[in-house]
Amino acid sequence: MRKALLVAGSVVVLASLLILLVPFLFKDRIVAAVAAQVNRHVDATVKFDTADLTLFRSFPNLELALGNLTVTGKEPFDGVVLARVADARLALDLMSVVGGGTVVVRSLALHDADVHLLVDAQGRSNMDVTKDDPAAAPTDTPSDFSLDLDAYTLENVALTYEDRAGGLLVSLADLDATGSVKVSRDANEFGTKASIATLSVTNGGVELLREVAVTADLQARQDLATGVFTLGDTRLALNDLAVAFKGTVAPSGDDIGLDLTFAAGETPFASILSLLPAAYSKDVAGLVSSGSVALQGSVKGTHKSAAADHLPGFDLTLQVVDGSFQYPSLPSSVDAVNLEMVVRHPEGITDLVEVDVKRFALAVGGSPLTGSFSLRHPMTDPDVAARMVGVLDLGKLHQALPAASSTWQGRLDVDLDVAGRVSQFTTEGLQTAQEGVRADGRFVLEGFRWEEPSDKAPMVVDRLAVTLNPRRADITELGMTLGASDIRATGSLDNIIAYALTDATLVGRMDVASKFLDLDAFAGGDEAPGEPTAADESSIVVVPKDLDFAITAKAEKVRYGGHEATEARGTFAVKDGALRIDSLKMNLLGGAVGLTGSYTAADDAGADVDMALDLADFDVTKTVEAFETLQKIVPVAQGAKGRFGSGLRVKARLGRDLTPEIESVLSDGRLRTSNLTLTPAFLTQVAETLGAKRFSTLDLSDADLGFVMEKGRIAISPTALKIGGAAATLGGSTGVLDRTLDLDLGMTIPAGLADGIVRSSSFELLKEVKVKVGGTYDKPTVKLDMGGVVDAVKEQVLAGVGVVSDKVFEEARKQGAALVAEAERQATKLKAEAAKQADGLKAEAKKQGDKLVAEAKNPIAAAAAKEAKKKLLVEADKKIDKLRAEADRKADAGVAAAKKQSDKLIADAEAESKAKTKAALK
């Protein structure tokens, strides 16, 4: 007995020693083995802060615990964290560790993990971190590491999948999962139970699922001889909708054979409602509903990875019977919801998909709305048959749905019947259309009111009446108000069927009239142009590229920027992303305006305008007060009195607040004046120098002044005018941004005005005066030249010493010209390189978009793919515009700097000549 106790005690002591010593003896080897396998197979930066080994938690297995494990990508995802795990635990087979052979992993547990899966705009994925097996490694070399999981656990895992190329975003929070992988000689068996607290899916900007709860129970078996996976008792639940799956998945090379069935059985109608992002809310638990939903389908065929346009066969049947629902806090309900929908596809190209909605119906407030829909050949020439008839009370519908930021009401009366292929609804198609093409019906909206909390005024449609025929939709009546604005219109929309189902252009015409039109409301606020807006707001109105509209408009009164115009009328055309204005006329600021030109805005970052204006009989005081931009361009106009007219052409880039970017303005024209007087600061200095106050006022009565504005500078053609009753000429240039002056003023002073002005003991009475005006508007400099009254003695002195050095001037001009020529060559090179890069961006965006459309596997995916393609092209256009603008900015800056240096060379030569002249005259 004593001997037995001694043996038992020895065993206990040895076991205790083993538990204490094994972690210390094998920790470095285990960590080194893990690191070696990671480096061999993973092309990413993997780090962990701590590594602990113990036998206590998972005896008789060893447990390796890694703290704060991170996996960070390399180029092109350098610095992007693929995964961050607070606590990772691996249970290792003790005998495999002690024996010195392959280390076997028995279980895996990840706690508090955050995973970010990213596909960039070029289609590159940060998940592509697996290295190819080293070629030098012999195939019979045993691995230091083996994965044979008895169990795995995931706890509190957050995952984001962001596909920027395809426009798909999937995010899930609080994923918990447990499972096992059982390996035998003949088969592998998998079992997983998982739950996700919230799952959200957005595709192409469309929210498909929002914060949906998910549970899953997966049982599968893989036959190792055939590779076929057979699904056992497998169920997936999204919120309240549970679907059961069964069947087989058979890999064959790069292809996958599928033979699956799925069904939800007969479930409550509320299970479908719980999936709708617009309807689901925290009040769903108290939702009162009735009716049933049946969902079933199958997938049978081959998924061919090498075929760009090939889908396996599938069918889906969804049926809703006598559904109804009412939220407990809302007064209205939706009743008599019935739906019979079948989606089918024989194996082959996507164009073989068929959609049949044999019947859909609902009633709100006792008013029924019913219809049907079918679609064939969605990818080539969609063949559609749609019927809808009934009345919908929008106010009661709003009272039946959970609270939203917007409110609406009104009555929709619809009776539409459409059938035919899209191609048959084009102008050419209608000429050769066969039997069965039809488009008839009406659409009447009355008493409609839409209001957002942020809106200062609601949109109200008193009545909108539309009739449909195969050629077009005729808008027979539209009467609406937006705040204080009223709009009345009639017109037609051609190509509307093709526009609704494809990316075809919508063609139409409209005749619009208004008693009062407040454009400030459309621009997003009451701010006048030039006033700052919030950083995330833009007053730019984007012009769609898929519209071809002709509009005739007239308005008795129009408000814009806080100013009112009257008797406005003109014609407009919206086409190819541009608004073209023809013969717009209106009365404004006491004068008349005629306008033709274009406005182009691909996005809300800015707009380009190209306008020809004819201004007649404007009051200069009111005009200067009204337009802050004019005060910047011509500050001398402040304080002016009189009237003016102008014929001019303006090209400019408008910023987000609709203010022109001064450097982009290119304008030329003529200014016609009537009784216009100015008192610029430089004339005050001229008057003081001449000793006569009358010469401080510039008189532009009946003047005709030509000007050109380019790159922030206004050049003025020499113009006849009067200064204090004396005949004069004025020409030169002024800077809009730097406010500099470079003007030449010539005055001929009659004898009656000359007495007592300027006399000299050595010269005759001064009658000819030339003035060089420099400096800035705020601090002008004035230099007077005596012109023809030059002392003969001075002429002889100047001739004798030869102070004016033609050689110095010529050398300065040559150097300046060379600098400018080189800068212009570099500018041309910059713009050419930008154009080449722009072509590449556009081609890549189109390629990615075409790929998305080609890979779309069903109608919903196809529609999302088209939206994603448009988004890719819009984003490419934004990058191209930014690229070209930056190239233009750098090119213009280089040329401007060269011109400035050239001007300095010539100025230095002039200064040297003047200094020598002054020394000679002494």
Side-chain angles (χ1 to χ4, degrees):
M1 182 68 178
R2 181 178 177 185
K3 186 176 181 180
L5 290 174
L6 185 60
V7 171
S10 299
V11 170
V12 170
V13 170
L14 288 173
S16 299
L17 288 173
L18 181 67
I19 293 174
L20 292 173
L21 294 178
V22 165
F24 294 100
L25 295 175
F26 295 98
K27 176 180 177 180
D28 291 342
R29 177 182 168 230
I30 296 300
V31 173
V34 171
Q37 290 301 308
V38 167
N39 290 329
R40 176 180 298 177
H41 297 291
V42 179
D43 186 19
T45 302
V46 180
K47 295 181 178 179
F48 44 86
D49 290 347
T50 60
D52 294 319
L53 197 65
T54 180
L55 265 170
F56 288 103
R57 291 195 184 94
S58 57
F59 188 82
N61 294 317
L62 277 171
E63 181 180 271
L64 175 64
L66 303 177
N68 195 21
L69 171 68
T70 60
V71 181
T72 306
K74 297 182 180 179
E75 285 293 337
F77 298 98
D78 189 21
V80 177
V81 177
L82 171 63
R84 189 187 306 276
V85 184
D87 184 21
R89 297 179 182 271
L90 295 83
L92 311 176
D93 182 89
L94 177 61
M95 296 311 297
S96 71
V97 175
V98 175
T102 299
V103 177
V104 178
V105 179
R106 293 299 184 190
S107 68
L108 171 69
L110 303 178
H111 302 274
D112 300 326
D114 192 351
V115 181
H116 184 195
L117 309 179
L118 175 63
V119 178
D120 66 13
Q122 287 73 42
R124 299 171 298 187
S125 173
N126 73 336
M127 293 172 281
D128 187 15
V129 296
T130 303
K131 291 182 181 179
D132 295 332
D133 289 336
T139 56
D140 58 351
T141 300
S143 171
D144 294 331
F145 212 69
S146 174
L147 189 65
D148 188 10
L149 294 180
D150 293 329
Y152 67 88
T153 301
L154 304 178
E155 184 177 286
N156 191 27
V157 175
L159 183 145
T160 300
Y161 175 76
E162 183 181 4
D163 184 352
R164 295 176 181 174
L168 177 64
L169 177 63
V170 179
S171 60
L172 57 89
D174 196 7
L175 164 64
D176 296 329
T178 59
S180 64
V181 180
K182 295 182 179 179
V183 180
S184 66
R185 178 178 302 176
D186 300 322
N188 293 331
E189 296 183 5
F190 308 88
T192 296
K193 292 182 180 292
S195 67
I196 300 172
T198 60
L199 168 67
S200 298
V201 179
T202 301
N203 193 0
V206 178
E207 187 179 45
L208 302 179
L209 296 174
R210 183 180 69 193
E211 297 184 359
V212 171
V214 180
T215 58
D217 188 347
L218 169 66
Q219 302 295 326
R221 181 180 186 276
Q222 182 188 23
D223 188 314
L224 294 180
T226 63
V228 175
F229 289 85
T230 301
L231 294 182
D233 185 12
T234 298
R235 296 181 180 275
L236 176 69
L238 305 177
N239 281 346
D240 299 327
L241 179 64
V243 183
F245 295 84
K246 64 180 181 179
T248 61
V249 178
S252 177
D254 292 334
D255 299 335
I256 301 176
L258 301 169
D259 188 0
L260 301 170
T261 61
F262 57 91
E266 187 170 308
T267 62
F269 180 51
S271 64
I272 289 290
L273 291 177
S274 71
L275 299 182
L276 302 178
Y280 186 65
S281 74
K282 295 180 180 179
D283 296 331
V284 72
L287 188 73
V288 177
S289 66
S290 63
S292 62
V293 175
L295 172 68
Q296 61 182 13
S298 65
V299 180
K300 188 169 185 177
T302 303
H303 170 70
K304 298 181 178 180
S305 60
D309 186 17
H310 183 277
L311 295 176
F314 63 84
D315 66 85
L316 169 69
T317 301
L318 176 63
Q319 187 176 35
V320 179
V321 179
D322 295 332
S324 69
F325 66 89
Q326 182 173 10
Y327 284 86
S329 60
L330 299 178
S332 188
S333 63
V334 177
D335 304 301
V337 180
N338 288 275
L339 174 67
E340 295 180 48
M341 182 178 75
V342 177
V343 181
R344 65 180 72 87
H345 176 263
E347 183 166 359
I349 60 175
T350 309
D351 197 50
L352 297 176
V353 171
E354 297 180 353
V355 179
D356 281 310
V357 180
K358 298 179 180 179
R359 178 173 180 259
F360 69 85
L362 61 84
V364 180
S367 299
L369 183 68
T370 63
S372 61
F373 175 81
S374 71
L375 174 66
R376 304 286 187 275
H377 307 296
M379 306 306 294
T380 55
D381 188 8
D383 189 352
V384 178
R387 181 83 172 99
M388 181 181 294
V389 60
V391 175
L392 186 61
D393 188 320
L394 298 176
K396 291 183 178 179
L397 179 63
H398 182 269
Q399 293 176 348
L401 300 178
S405 59
S406 58
T407 59
W408 67 87
Q409 63 184 42
R411 183 179 186 272
L412 174 64
D413 186 349
V414 60
D415 186 354
L416 298 176
D417 187 9
V418 177
R421 298 191 306 274
V422 167
S423 62
Q424 292 176 311
F425 289 97
T426 64
T427 301
E428 297 79 6
L430 287 171
Q431 294 173 353
T432 59
Q434 304 295 319
E435 293 293 329
V437 176
R438 64 181 185 274
D440 302 295
R442 72 176 190 279
F443 176 99
V444 179
L445 181 64
E446 293 181 301
F448 178 75
R449 181 185 179 94
W450 178 285
E451 190 169 6
E452 295 279 358
S454 60
D455 290 344
K456 297 180 180 179
M459 180 177 72
V460 177
V461 178
D462 296 322
R463 180 177 172 83
L464 168 62
V466 180
T467 60
L468 187 67
N469 61 60
R471 291 188 177 275
R472 63 180 179 271
D474 289 317
I475 303 172
T476 58
E477 182 181 0
L478 170 60
M480 63 176 292
T481 60
L482 180 59
S485 301
D486 68 281
I487 298 174
R488 303 178 304 280
T490 59
S492 64
L493 302 174
D494 299 333
N495 208 35
I496 190 169
I497 305 297
Y499 174 77
L501 296 176
T502 69
D503 56 359
T505 298
L506 180 63
V507 181
R509 63 167 186 83
M510 295 289 288
D511 294 317
V512 182
S514 175
K515 292 183 178 179
F516 178 63
L517 195 59
D518 186 0
L519 295 181
D520 286 338
F522 292 98
D526 294 332
E527 299 87 4
E531 292 186 4
T533 58
D536 58 345
E537 294 181 355
S538 175
S539 296
I540 296 294
V541 178
V542 177
V543 184
K545 293 184 177 181
D546 55 356
L547 295 182
D548 184 355
F549 258 63
I551 304 170
T552 300
K554 59 181 180 180
E556 296 179 15
K557 186 182 295 186
V558 179
R559 176 184 293 160
Y560 177 67
H563 310 292
E564 291 188 355
T566 59
E567 299 301 322
R569 58 189 64 234
T571 58
F572 307 85
V574 179
K575 188 175 182 179
D576 299 329
L579 168 65
R580 292 173 176 82
I581 305 169
D582 184 25
S583 302
L584 173 62
K585 296 181 179 180
M586 68 181 76
N587 299 322
L588 178 67
L589 297 173
V593 179
L595 174 65
T596 60
S598 64
Y599 167 97
T600 306
D603 51 49
D604 66 0
D608 295 296
V609 294
D610 185 351
M611 301 289 182
L613 294 93
D614 186 9
L615 310 178
D617 202 28
F618 266 59
D619 183 290
V620 68
T621 303
K622 293 180 179 179
T623 304
V624 173
E625 291 176 352
F627 297 106
E628 182 180 344
T629 300
L630 187 61
Q631 297 173 24
K632 293 179 180 178
I633 295 176
V634 192
V636 73
Q638 298 185 57
K641 297 179 180 179
R643 309 189 75 81
F644 74 96
S646 180
L648 71 154
R649 183 180 180 90
V650 179
K651 296 178 69 174
R653 175 73 175 174
L654 304 182
R656 288 166 58 89
D657 62 351
L658 296 178
T659 298
E661 297 174 2
I662 299 298
E663 289 187 343
S664 72
V665 176
L666 176 61
S667 177
D668 63 89
R670 304 198 71 83
L671 180 68
R672 302 178 297 273
T673 63
S674 175
N675 299 320
L676 181 63
T677 59
L678 306 172
T679 309
F682 70 84
L683 273 188
T684 301
Q685 290 194 26
V686 172
E688 291 175 354
T689 303
L690 296 177
K693 188 177 180 180
R694 68 168 69 91
F695 294 118
S696 63
T697 300
L698 189 150
D699 185 354
L700 285 173
S701 298
D702 302 322
D704 188 353
L705 184 147
F707 63 89
V708 174
M709 179 175 175
E710 184 176 10
K711 295 181 180 178
R713 198 157 192 88
I714 301 175
I716 304 169
S717 302
T719 303
L721 45 84
K722 291 185 178 181
I723 298 178
T729 59
L730 178 67
S733 67
T734 64
V736 177
L737 296 175
D738 59 14
R739 301 171 65 85
T740 58
L741 300 172
D742 185 7
L743 300 173
D744 294 303
L745 175 64
M747 299 171 58
T748 302
I749 304 174
L753 297 177
D755 291 339
I757 296 178
V758 176
R759 292 184 180 275
S760 172
S761 59
S762 303
F763 305 108
E764 297 179 357
L765 184 68
L766 181 62
K767 295 182 180 179
E768 299 290 336
V769 177
K770 293 183 179 179
V771 183
K772 184 68 175 178
V773 181
T776 65
Y777 282 109
D778 301 321
K779 295 182 179 180
T781 60
V782 174
K783 295 181 180 179
L784 272 65
D785 185 0
M786 295 183 180
V789 189
V790 179
D791 195 329
V793 175
K794 291 184 178 181
E795 291 181 352
Q796 293 176 1
V797 172
L798 294 176
V801 297
V803 283
V804 179
S805 177
D806 292 336
K807 183 177 180 180
V808 173
F809 275 110
E810 184 61 24
E811 183 63 25
R813 291 190 187 96
K814 285 183 179 180
Q815 292 181 22
L819 287 171
V820 172
E822 175 61 20
E824 290 176 344
R825 188 183 72 78
Q826 291 297 330
T828 301
K829 182 179 178 182
L830 273 173
K831 293 180 180 180
E833 290 175 351
K836 183 177 180 181
Q837 293 180 41
D839 291 341
L841 285 172
K842 192 73 173 184
E844 182 62 21
K846 187 176 185 302
K847 178 181 177 182
Q848 292 294 333
D850 292 340
K851 181 180 178 183
L852 292 175
V853 172
E855 292 177 350
K857 304 303 181 185
N858 54 64
I860 294 177
K866 288 183 180 181
E867 289 299 317
K869 175 182 177 181
K870 290 181 180 179
K871 185 176 180 181
L872 281 173
L873 292 174
V874 169
E875 290 298 324
D877 286 340
K878 288 182 180 179
K879 293 179 180 178
I880 289 170
D881 290 342
K882 184 176 180 180
L883 180 67
R884 285 175 171 166
E886 181 62 16
D888 288 343
R889 185 190 68 76
K890 290 182 177 179
D892 292 343
V895 173
K899 288 182 177 179
K900 185 176 181 181
Q901 190 171 354
S902 175
D903 292 341
K904 185 177 185 302
L905 287 171
I906 295 173
D908 290 343
E910 183 181 6
E912 181 181 350
S913 177
K914 288 182 178 180
K916 291 181 178 179
T917 301
K918 184 176 180 182
L921 287 175
K922 288 182 178 180

